Structure formats: structure tokens, C-alpha cells
Amino acid sequence: MDLEEVKQYVILVQDNNDNNAFNILVKNYKKLLAHFVHRYSHLPLSKEELESAAIWGFYKGILRYDYEKNTMQPFTTYVCNAIINEIYIENRKLKKEKNRELLFLDKTFQDDDNDRVVNHLEGMNEEDIFRMATEQYNSEVIDEMLKCLKPKQREIIKYRFGVCGYPEKKLTELAKIYGCTIQYISAYEHSALQKMRKLYKRKYEDLI
């Protein structure tokens, strides 16, 4: 695939969130993605986690690349940096997860006139926050948090976290259910969690 073809698919992803165009780009850059999975295999991330991080970084690189100001020549270098950044982000998340027991949470959740108040969660990522919320909040609050999502995003989040009567499922299980790749499900999950965090930034300012 030449760079002009790549550009057309990048435009489709950016302007229309075209999943088919994204899958074509993933296939075209499959060797590049595999290279980074192998290159960072020394990190304490599973192969599945590395693949998910690589594909998500690739996706973010596509979305952020300014093809109007730049030629397509530096595109590969740009997405490579995005992939590397995302792998390191996932590695930091894993370290935080392993060290969560070291975090001192002083009165993490408390009732105040029937309102849940969240304090001292600095260092938690979106998934940490939502997972803790599902452990503490009632179904009405969870439903409210999910309202900002599109139906498919909402369903995936319900499955991933096992809320609202949905059984908790792994990425591989959801990929089979929806007939798509693990990376696609991971991208949907990340996008949904970021959207929820942004919407509730003011309400839960202590979480940011």
C-alpha cells in the first residue's frame, strides 16, 4: 500500500470512525505492530496486553496525525512513537495495579446525605476508578454513569466490569461475541472509559 492509499484510509478513520478502514491499516502495518510486541516482550505485560496496547497506540496515532499540515512521509514514525507511548502507559498501569495495596485511602467512600463522596484516589486510572465505583455504588448510579455512552460501548463496559446484571467477560470472549478482534474491543473500552471520565470530571473532581 503506497502512502497516498494510507492517507485515504487515515481520512476515513478520522472523519467517519470507519472500522473497516482501520482494520485495513492494521493489516497493512501488521509487521510493524508485531515488531513492537516482540521488542517490548521483556516488560511484565502479557502478549495479549502488549498487542492491545500496540493497536490502541496505533489507533491514537492515526486519529492525531495531521495529514493537512504534514506529508504522509513521517506517518510511520509518528505512529511508532504513539505505539511506544501506549505500551509504556500500559506498563505503568500494571505497576499501579500491583502496588494498589500500598496506596493509603483515607475514607475512600463515605455517605454524606445519601451522596457518595470519593476522596484520595490520586494515581488511579479510568479502569481503576470505574471498577472501584462498581464495588461501591448502587445500580442507579452505575446506570447514570453509563448514559453518556453509545449502546455498543455501554454493553461492552457492562460485560467487561460485570455490572447491571451482565456476566463479566474477558476481551477474548467479547471478541467472539461481536465477531471482531480483541484490539477492537480494547479500543472501544478505552474510548468509553475516557468519555465517562471526561463527562464526570466536574462531579468527581477529586478523581482527576
Side-chain angles (χ1 to χ4, degrees), residues 14 59-67 78 82 85-86 194:
Q14 289 188 6
Y59 178 67
K60 291 203 292 190
I62 292 171
L63 291 183
R64 294 172 181 172
Y65 190 75
D66 193 338
Y67 60 83
Y78 188 88
N85 287 339
E86 193 63 28
Q194 288 182 337

Side-chain angles (χ1 to χ4, degrees), residues 13 16-20 22-23 52-53 55-57 59-60 63 86 90 93 126-127 130 146 148-161 171 174-175 178-197:
V13 175
N16 303 321
N17 195 26
D18 191 315
N19 184 52
N20 184 55
F22 177 64
N23 287 336
S52 179
I55 202 76
W56 182 238
Y59 178 67
K60 291 203 292 190
L63 291 183
E86 193 63 28
E90 287 302 312
K93 287 181 181 179
E126 288 93 344
E127 183 172 341
F130 188 70
L146 293 168
C148 65
L149 306 179
K150 295 179 180 179
K152 190 172 183 179
Q153 286 181 317
R154 191 179 305 127
E155 189 171 61
I156 287 174
I157 290 297
K158 287 179 181 179
Y159 272 128
R160 288 290 289 135
F161 292 91
L171 292 173
L174 289 179
Y178 292 99
C180 60
T181 64
I182 294 172
Q183 292 81 8
Y184 181 75
I185 296 296
S186 179
Y188 248 82
E189 180 186 346
H190 276 282
S191 177
L193 290 172
Q194 288 182 337
K195 187 183 293 186
M196 293 166 70
R197 183 185 179 102

Side-chain angles (χ1 to χ4, degrees), residues 26-74:
V26 168
K27 186 176 181 179
N28 188 64
Y29 286 89
K30 182 168 63 175
K31 289 184 179 179
L32 180 69
L33 293 165
H35 164 74
F36 284 108
V37 171
H38 176 72
R39 177 178 172 182
Y40 291 96
S41 59
H42 63 283
L43 295 176
L45 294 166
S46 68
K47 184 179 179 181
E48 180 181 296
E49 289 169 329
L50 282 169
E51 289 175 345
S52 179
I55 202 76
W56 182 238
F58 182 62
Y59 178 67
K60 291 203 292 190
I62 292 171
L63 291 183
R64 294 172 181 172
Y65 190 75
D66 193 338
Y67 60 83
E68 293 181 343
K69 289 185 179 180
N70 306 305
T71 66
M72 291 303 293
Q73 199 65 38

Side-chain angles (χ1 to χ4, degrees), residues 9 13 28 46 48 54 59 61 77-79 94 99 101 103 126-127 143 161 169 176-177 180 183 192 199 204-205:
Y9 286 117
V13 175
N28 188 64
S46 68
E48 180 181 296
Y59 178 67
T77 301
Y78 188 88
V79 293
L94 180 63
N99 293 310
E101 66 273 12
L103 291 174
E126 288 93 344
E127 183 172 341
D143 284 338
F161 292 91
K169 292 186 180 296
K176 290 180 181 179
I177 291 175
C180 60
Q183 292 81 8
L199 181 65
Y204 301 117
E205 60 183 0

Side-chain angles (χ1 to χ4, degrees), residues 6 22-23 34 50 63 81 93 95 100 109 116 121 126 133 145 152 155-156 172-173 177 182 202 206:
V6 170
F22 177 64
N23 287 336
L50 282 169
L63 291 183
N81 290 331
K93 287 181 181 179
K95 287 181 179 179
R100 276 179 68 178
F109 290 93
R116 297 288 190 176
L121 290 180
E126 288 93 344
M145 294 175 70
K152 190 172 183 179
E155 189 171 61
I156 287 174
T172 51
E173 294 176 304
I177 291 175
I182 294 172
R202 292 182 180 178
D206 289 335

Side-chain angles (χ1 to χ4, degrees), residues 40 43 83-93:
Y40 291 96
L43 295 176
I83 291 168
I84 292 170
N85 287 339
E86 193 63 28
I87 288 175
Y88 278 118
I89 287 172
E90 287 302 312
N91 190 49
R92 287 195 296 272
K93 287 181 181 179

